[in-house]
Amino acid sequence: MNTLLDYGFTDRIRGLFSYSFPSPDTSSPEPARVIRADRGRVLLMTGSGPLQVETGASIVTGDWVALARNDDDGALPPAIVGTLPRYSTLQRKRAHDPLSEAQVLGANIDLVGVVVPIDRPLSANRLERTLVAAWDSGAVPLVILTKADLTSRFDEVVAQTVERARGVEVFTTSAEAGDGLDALHARIGSGSTLALIGPSGAGKSTLINALVGFEAQHTGDVRAGDGKGRHTTTARELIPLGAGSVLMDTPGVRGFALWDAEDGLEAVFGDIEELFRSCRFRDCAHDSEPGCAVRAAIESGVVEERRWLSYRKMQRELASLHRRQSVAEQRRHGQSFHRIAKEAALAKDYRNRFIEG
Ligand SMILES: Nc1nc2c(ncn2[C@@H]2O[C@H](COP(=O)(O)OP(=O)(O)O)[C@@H](O)[C@H]2O)c(=O)[nH]1
Ligand SMILES: [Mg+2]
């Protein structure tokens, strides 16, 4: 049976937990990890096996929580009474919903594997954007090329991916042929959580099955004849890999609209941001100003123009997100101000009519 140790409960987490939730007696809350989170309900792994718990809190896959069993007083069901601060948060802006909250895909992830099928390589812009989100989560990104058996241009695609990944480690795998799995296994090591992100059909579930050595996840395979077997994963969930390591499948993450990802932008485009300091003018817009270090770097071929434009686009996106956030913020303030003013007017009216009058 799987227990907490199979879900990444390392000494570090144990330490964090006992710091945040000191346990004076045996009825104190116990640590548990969220294997999957559905609306209002989460599946936890506890020290004594899985447990489903209702919850109103916004808890996501990968969270470490404090669970109160409420055994002795039979009236109360087990409940989550606290959450450990997340050391990483993989999130994106919800599409088509400018003012909504971020969508958190997972928490407490150590490695984010950006899964790219070798037969459909990602555009450089998309790869950069995904790496920005991955770095920004606080985890360490990896690029994982899948389906290596499906290309005749293997060396070319790998070399191109390595170049575009700019220092992020690139792993090449074929779940079909069993290639590259040991290296990936070794990189994951013990006690860490690897989340796989990538579009549907990229080979995430197949890779997870190959890594764990059995059919832990449904894949996009369609059985000949009856078409059955077309189960695709719909939930983000944790799957134990052994040695306390955990895989997280995040189905169907096609793209990343960025959410407060300045740190990620700096991680991927630090070389460009560094150039800004060498521009002649402090407020250089990097368009046509004399002495612009960015233009000079592009002209001399040090910085690829495409990369500059890709950076610029993400920067604009974040700027417009912040503008909308601050408008929404002001509106909230305005509303509460309005309410307070209205209440004050009512109170005054009351005084006028009934007390002073
Ligand atoms: N040839 C080959 N096909 C693969 C490999 N990995 C996955 N596939 C196929 O790619 C399709 C999508 O895989 P799946 O794991 O469901 O993708 P997911 O949506 O990212 O989870 C399935 O038909 C798999 O059989 C591989 O290494 N080689
Ligand atoms: Mg899948």
mmCIF file of all heavy atoms in Angstrom, residues 222-256:
data_model
loop_
_atom_site.group_PDB
_atom_site.id
_atom_site.type_symbol
_atom_site.label_atom_id
_atom_site.label_comp_id
_atom_site.label_asym_id
_atom_site.label_seq_id
_atom_site.Cartn_x
_atom_site.Cartn_y
_atom_site.Cartn_z
ATOM 1 N N VAL A 222 -6.009 4.597 -29.095
ATOM 2 C CA VAL A 222 -7.328 4.134 -29.501
ATOM 3 C C VAL A 222 -7.156 2.706 -29.975
ATOM 4 O O VAL A 222 -6.421 2.434 -30.912
ATOM 5 C CB VAL A 222 -7.902 5.001 -30.639
ATOM 6 C CG1 VAL A 222 -9.270 4.495 -31.046
ATOM 7 C CG2 VAL A 222 -7.964 6.443 -30.217
ATOM 8 N N ARG A 223 -7.819 1.769 -29.294
ATOM 9 C CA ARG A 223 -7.704 0.365 -29.701
ATOM 10 C C ARG A 223 -8.352 0.160 -31.060
ATOM 11 O O ARG A 223 -9.424 0.701 -31.339
ATOM 12 C CB ARG A 223 -8.402 -0.545 -28.678
ATOM 13 C CG ARG A 223 -7.478 -0.941 -27.552
ATOM 14 C CD ARG A 223 -8.172 -1.940 -26.646
ATOM 15 N NE ARG A 223 -8.144 -1.456 -25.291
ATOM 16 C CZ ARG A 223 -9.196 -1.436 -24.504
ATOM 17 N NH1 ARG A 223 -10.375 -1.835 -24.946
ATOM 18 N NH2 ARG A 223 -9.106 -1.001 -23.272
ATOM 19 N N ALA A 224 -7.688 -0.624 -31.866
ATOM 20 C CA ALA A 224 -8.241 -0.900 -33.191
ATOM 21 C C ALA A 224 -9.606 -1.567 -33.036
ATOM 22 O O ALA A 224 -9.826 -2.337 -32.113
ATOM 23 C CB ALA A 224 -7.288 -1.811 -33.960
ATOM 24 N N GLY A 225 -10.521 -1.258 -33.904
ATOM 25 C CA GLY A 225 -11.818 -1.927 -33.873
ATOM 26 C C GLY A 225 -12.884 -1.126 -33.148
ATOM 27 O O GLY A 225 -13.596 -0.346 -33.760
ATOM 28 N N ASP A 226 -12.940 -1.268 -31.816
ATOM 29 C CA ASP A 226 -14.070 -0.674 -31.105
ATOM 30 C C ASP A 226 -13.849 0.779 -30.660
ATOM 31 O O ASP A 226 -14.764 1.409 -30.137
ATOM 32 C CB ASP A 226 -14.435 -1.517 -29.884
ATOM 33 C CG ASP A 226 -13.278 -1.646 -28.910
ATOM 34 O OD1 ASP A 226 -12.224 -1.035 -29.165
ATOM 35 O OD2 ASP A 226 -13.437 -2.340 -27.898
ATOM 36 N N GLY A 227 -12.640 1.273 -30.885
ATOM 37 C CA GLY A 227 -12.398 2.662 -30.504
ATOM 38 C C GLY A 227 -12.373 2.865 -29.003
ATOM 39 O O GLY A 227 -12.240 3.976 -28.515
ATOM 40 N N LYS A 228 -12.491 1.775 -28.230
ATOM 41 C CA LYS A 228 -12.429 1.928 -26.773
ATOM 42 C C LYS A 228 -10.997 2.185 -26.337
ATOM 43 O O LYS A 228 -10.060 1.851 -27.035
ATOM 44 C CB LYS A 228 -12.960 0.672 -26.084
ATOM 45 C CG LYS A 228 -14.476 0.662 -26.054
ATOM 46 C CD LYS A 228 -14.972 -0.374 -25.074
ATOM 47 C CE LYS A 228 -16.482 -0.501 -25.200
ATOM 48 N NZ LYS A 228 -16.915 -1.879 -25.186
ATOM 49 N N GLY A 229 -10.855 2.696 -25.200
ATOM 50 C CA GLY A 229 -9.497 2.976 -24.719
ATOM 51 C C GLY A 229 -9.163 4.429 -24.950
ATOM 52 O O GLY A 229 -8.091 4.886 -24.628
ATOM 53 N N ARG A 230 -10.100 5.173 -25.490
ATOM 54 C CA ARG A 230 -9.827 6.581 -25.671
ATOM 55 C C ARG A 230 -10.134 7.340 -24.367
ATOM 56 O O ARG A 230 -11.023 8.167 -24.290
ATOM 57 C CB ARG A 230 -10.686 7.132 -26.819
ATOM 58 C CG ARG A 230 -10.331 8.544 -27.221
ATOM 59 C CD ARG A 230 -11.401 9.108 -28.117
ATOM 60 N NE ARG A 230 -11.160 8.756 -29.512
ATOM 61 C CZ ARG A 230 -10.318 9.398 -30.297
ATOM 62 N NH1 ARG A 230 -9.627 10.387 -29.826
ATOM 63 N NH2 ARG A 230 -10.153 9.037 -31.538
ATOM 64 N N HIS A 231 -9.400 6.967 -23.346
ATOM 65 C CA HIS A 231 -9.558 7.698 -22.094
ATOM 66 C C HIS A 231 -8.430 8.688 -22.057
ATOM 67 O O HIS A 231 -7.293 8.291 -22.177
ATOM 68 C CB HIS A 231 -9.371 6.783 -20.894
ATOM 69 C CG HIS A 231 -10.290 5.631 -20.887
ATOM 70 N ND1 HIS A 231 -11.612 5.738 -20.571
ATOM 71 C CD2 HIS A 231 -10.082 4.339 -21.175
ATOM 72 C CE1 HIS A 231 -12.178 4.548 -20.651
ATOM 73 N NE2 HIS A 231 -11.267 3.688 -21.018
ATOM 74 N N THR A 232 -8.740 9.904 -21.916
ATOM 75 C CA THR A 232 -7.627 10.800 -21.683
ATOM 76 C C THR A 232 -7.773 11.339 -20.277
ATOM 77 O O THR A 232 -8.874 11.462 -19.762
ATOM 78 C CB THR A 232 -7.555 11.916 -22.727
ATOM 79 O OG1 THR A 232 -8.879 12.279 -23.056
ATOM 80 C CG2 THR A 232 -6.850 11.439 -23.973
ATOM 81 N N THR A 233 -6.647 11.585 -19.681
ATOM 82 C CA THR A 233 -6.651 12.054 -18.316
ATOM 83 C C THR A 233 -7.349 13.407 -18.267
ATOM 84 O O THR A 233 -7.131 14.236 -19.129
ATOM 85 C CB THR A 233 -5.205 12.256 -17.837
ATOM 86 O OG1 THR A 233 -4.386 11.399 -18.605
ATOM 87 C CG2 THR A 233 -5.057 11.979 -16.376
ATOM 88 N N THR A 234 -8.172 13.605 -17.275
ATOM 89 C CA THR A 234 -8.824 14.895 -17.190
ATOM 90 C C THR A 234 -8.440 15.640 -15.923
ATOM 91 O O THR A 234 -8.713 16.810 -15.796
ATOM 92 C CB THR A 234 -10.354 14.750 -17.191
ATOM 93 O OG1 THR A 234 -10.690 13.847 -16.147
ATOM 94 C CG2 THR A 234 -10.847 14.234 -18.513
ATOM 95 N N ALA A 235 -7.798 14.934 -14.993
ATOM 96 C CA ALA A 235 -7.484 15.597 -13.729
ATOM 97 C C ALA A 235 -5.982 15.673 -13.546
ATOM 98 O O ALA A 235 -5.238 14.848 -14.053
ATOM 99 C CB ALA A 235 -8.097 14.832 -12.573
ATOM 100 N N ARG A 236 -5.584 16.693 -12.824
ATOM 101 C CA ARG A 236 -4.187 16.771 -12.445
ATOM 102 C C ARG A 236 -4.014 15.899 -11.220
ATOM 103 O O ARG A 236 -4.703 16.089 -10.225
ATOM 104 C CB ARG A 236 -3.815 18.211 -12.124
ATOM 105 C CG ARG A 236 -3.903 19.104 -13.341
ATOM 106 C CD ARG A 236 -3.537 20.512 -13.006
ATOM 107 N NE ARG A 236 -4.627 21.201 -12.360
ATOM 108 C CZ ARG A 236 -5.625 21.766 -13.019
ATOM 109 N NH1 ARG A 236 -5.663 21.721 -14.335
ATOM 110 N NH2 ARG A 236 -6.587 22.383 -12.375
ATOM 111 N N GLU A 237 -3.127 14.936 -11.311
ATOM 112 C CA GLU A 237 -2.973 14.078 -10.145
ATOM 113 C C GLU A 237 -1.549 13.597 -9.955
ATOM 114 O O GLU A 237 -0.745 13.588 -10.882
ATOM 115 C CB GLU A 237 -3.944 12.907 -10.198
ATOM 116 C CG GLU A 237 -3.741 11.990 -11.372
ATOM 117 C CD GLU A 237 -4.836 10.936 -11.456
ATOM 118 O OE1 GLU A 237 -5.992 11.255 -11.103
ATOM 119 O OE2 GLU A 237 -4.531 9.815 -11.865
ATOM 120 N N LEU A 238 -1.262 13.211 -8.724
ATOM 121 C CA LEU A 238 0.077 12.735 -8.373
ATOM 122 C C LEU A 238 0.147 11.223 -8.515
ATOM 123 O O LEU A 238 -0.767 10.508 -8.120
ATOM 124 C CB LEU A 238 0.404 13.107 -6.924
ATOM 125 C CG LEU A 238 0.443 14.580 -6.542
ATOM 126 C CD1 LEU A 238 0.875 14.725 -5.082
ATOM 127 C CD2 LEU A 238 1.391 15.350 -7.450
ATOM 128 N N ILE A 239 1.262 10.770 -9.064
ATOM 129 C CA ILE A 239 1.483 9.339 -9.232
ATOM 130 C C ILE A 239 2.851 9.007 -8.645
ATOM 131 O O ILE A 239 3.855 9.599 -9.045
ATOM 132 C CB ILE A 239 1.464 8.937 -10.725
ATOM 133 C CG1 ILE A 239 0.105 9.299 -11.315
ATOM 134 C CG2 ILE A 239 1.755 7.460 -10.929
ATOM 135 C CD1 ILE A 239 0.192 10.187 -12.522
ATOM 136 N N PRO A 240 2.923 8.090 -7.666
ATOM 137 C CA PRO A 240 4.222 7.773 -7.078
ATOM 138 C C PRO A 240 5.118 7.020 -8.062
ATOM 139 O O PRO A 240 4.643 6.169 -8.819
ATOM 140 C CB PRO A 240 3.878 6.896 -5.873
ATOM 141 C CG PRO A 240 2.494 6.442 -6.078
ATOM 142 C CD PRO A 240 1.825 7.342 -7.056
ATOM 143 N N LEU A 241 6.388 7.390 -8.050
ATOM 144 C CA LEU A 241 7.349 6.812 -8.989
ATOM 145 C C LEU A 241 8.272 5.822 -8.293
ATOM 146 O O LEU A 241 8.988 5.069 -8.931
ATOM 147 C CB LEU A 241 8.170 7.959 -9.613
ATOM 148 C CG LEU A 241 9.328 7.623 -10.535
ATOM 149 C CD1 LEU A 241 8.826 6.887 -11.772
ATOM 150 C CD2 LEU A 241 10.064 8.882 -10.957
ATOM 151 N N GLY A 242 8.248 5.810 -6.973
ATOM 152 C CA GLY A 242 9.211 5.013 -6.206
ATOM 153 C C GLY A 242 10.257 5.941 -5.629
ATOM 154 O O GLY A 242 10.432 7.061 -6.118
ATOM 155 N N ALA A 243 10.906 5.469 -4.566
ATOM 156 C CA ALA A 243 11.930 6.258 -3.869
ATOM 157 C C ALA A 243 11.399 7.624 -3.422
ATOM 158 O O ALA A 243 12.149 8.587 -3.326
ATOM 159 C CB ALA A 243 13.182 6.438 -4.731
ATOM 160 N N GLY A 244 10.109 7.692 -3.146
ATOM 161 C CA GLY A 244 9.527 8.931 -2.630
ATOM 162 C C GLY A 244 9.358 10.019 -3.669
ATOM 163 O O GLY A 244 8.981 11.139 -3.350
ATOM 164 N N SER A 245 9.632 9.700 -4.930
ATOM 165 C CA SER A 245 9.427 10.692 -5.980
ATOM 166 C C SER A 245 8.013 10.596 -6.529
ATOM 167 O O SER A 245 7.385 9.550 -6.462
ATOM 168 C CB SER A 245 10.421 10.500 -7.118
ATOM 169 O OG SER A 245 11.687 10.867 -6.663
ATOM 170 N N VAL A 246 7.557 11.706 -7.073
ATOM 171 C CA VAL A 246 6.173 11.781 -7.488
ATOM 172 C C VAL A 246 6.087 12.429 -8.861
ATOM 173 O O VAL A 246 6.798 13.390 -9.154
ATOM 174 C CB VAL A 246 5.359 12.640 -6.487
ATOM 175 C CG1 VAL A 246 3.878 12.525 -6.761
ATOM 176 C CG2 VAL A 246 5.661 12.240 -5.054
ATOM 177 N N LEU A 247 5.229 11.880 -9.702
ATOM 178 C CA LEU A 247 4.982 12.499 -11.002
ATOM 179 C C LEU A 247 3.618 13.159 -10.950
ATOM 180 O O LEU A 247 2.702 12.678 -10.297
ATOM 181 C CB LEU A 247 4.989 11.431 -12.107
ATOM 182 C CG LEU A 247 6.284 10.638 -12.245
ATOM 183 C CD1 LEU A 247 6.108 9.514 -13.258
ATOM 184 C CD2 LEU A 247 7.413 11.568 -12.681
ATOM 185 N N MET A 248 3.507 14.271 -11.647
ATOM 186 C CA MET A 248 2.207 14.926 -11.712
ATOM 187 C C MET A 248 1.831 15.132 -13.169
ATOM 188 O O MET A 248 2.569 15.748 -13.924
ATOM 189 C CB MET A 248 2.274 16.276 -10.997
ATOM 190 C CG MET A 248 0.940 16.963 -10.928
ATOM 191 S SD MET A 248 1.133 18.521 -10.040
ATOM 192 C CE MET A 248 0.104 19.516 -11.058
ATOM 193 N N ASP A 249 0.706 14.562 -13.536
ATOM 194 C CA ASP A 249 0.207 14.737 -14.895
ATOM 195 C C ASP A 249 -0.688 15.969 -14.901
ATOM 196 O O ASP A 249 -1.523 16.127 -14.030
ATOM 197 C CB ASP A 249 -0.606 13.502 -15.309
ATOM 198 C CG ASP A 249 -0.693 13.367 -16.817
ATOM 199 O OD1 ASP A 249 -0.229 14.279 -17.531
ATOM 200 O OD2 ASP A 249 -1.230 12.347 -17.287
ATOM 201 N N THR A 250 -0.461 16.854 -15.836
ATOM 202 C CA THR A 250 -1.344 18.012 -15.977
ATOM 203 C C THR A 250 -1.914 17.970 -17.385
ATOM 204 O O THR A 250 -1.310 18.471 -18.316
ATOM 205 C CB THR A 250 -0.600 19.348 -15.790
ATOM 206 O OG1 THR A 250 0.414 19.427 -16.767
ATOM 207 C CG2 THR A 250 0.016 19.465 -14.436
ATOM 208 N N PRO A 251 -3.068 17.340 -17.538
ATOM 209 C CA PRO A 251 -3.594 17.108 -18.876
ATOM 210 C C PRO A 251 -3.924 18.400 -19.617
ATOM 211 O O PRO A 251 -4.396 19.367 -19.018
ATOM 212 C CB PRO A 251 -4.885 16.331 -18.621
ATOM 213 C CG PRO A 251 -4.859 15.936 -17.203
ATOM 214 C CD PRO A 251 -3.948 16.850 -16.483
ATOM 215 N N GLY A 252 -3.632 18.364 -20.904
ATOM 216 C CA GLY A 252 -4.130 19.396 -21.805
ATOM 217 C C GLY A 252 -3.705 20.819 -21.507
ATOM 218 O O GLY A 252 -4.494 21.731 -21.646
ATOM 219 N N VAL A 253 -2.469 21.019 -21.090
ATOM 220 C CA VAL A 253 -2.012 22.396 -20.922
ATOM 221 C C VAL A 253 -1.334 22.807 -22.224
ATOM 222 O O VAL A 253 -0.185 22.481 -22.485
ATOM 223 C CB VAL A 253 -1.052 22.540 -19.733
ATOM 224 C CG1 VAL A 253 -0.498 23.955 -19.659
ATOM 225 C CG2 VAL A 253 -1.772 22.194 -18.446
ATOM 226 N N ARG A 254 -2.104 23.487 -23.057
ATOM 227 C CA ARG A 254 -1.598 23.820 -24.380
ATOM 228 C C ARG A 254 -0.728 25.067 -24.325
ATOM 229 O O ARG A 254 0.336 25.124 -24.918
ATOM 230 C CB ARG A 254 -2.780 24.011 -25.337
ATOM 231 C CG ARG A 254 -2.419 24.517 -26.716
ATOM 232 C CD ARG A 254 -3.515 24.245 -27.711
ATOM 233 N NE ARG A 254 -3.640 22.820 -28.007
ATOM 234 C CZ ARG A 254 -2.830 22.183 -28.847
ATOM 235 N NH1 ARG A 254 -1.869 22.823 -29.454
ATOM 236 N NH2 ARG A 254 -2.993 20.911 -29.076
ATOM 237 N N GLY A 255 -1.193 26.044 -23.610
ATOM 238 C CA GLY A 255 -0.413 27.277 -23.610
ATOM 239 C C GLY A 255 -0.453 27.969 -22.270
ATOM 240 O O GLY A 255 -1.256 27.635 -21.415
ATOM 241 N N PHE A 256 0.423 28.912 -22.138
ATOM 242 C CA PHE A 256 0.506 29.652 -20.898
ATOM 243 C C PHE A 256 0.283 31.130 -21.124
ATOM 244 O O PHE A 256 1.151 31.811 -21.663
ATOM 245 C CB PHE A 256 1.886 29.464 -20.262
ATOM 246 C CG PHE A 256 1.941 28.286 -19.349
ATOM 247 C CD1 PHE A 256 2.291 27.045 -19.822
ATOM 248 C CD2 PHE A 256 1.613 28.432 -18.016
ATOM 249 C CE1 PHE A 256 2.320 25.955 -18.987
ATOM 250 C CE2 PHE A 256 1.642 27.346 -17.165
ATOM 251 C CZ PHE A 256 1.997 26.106 -17.652
#
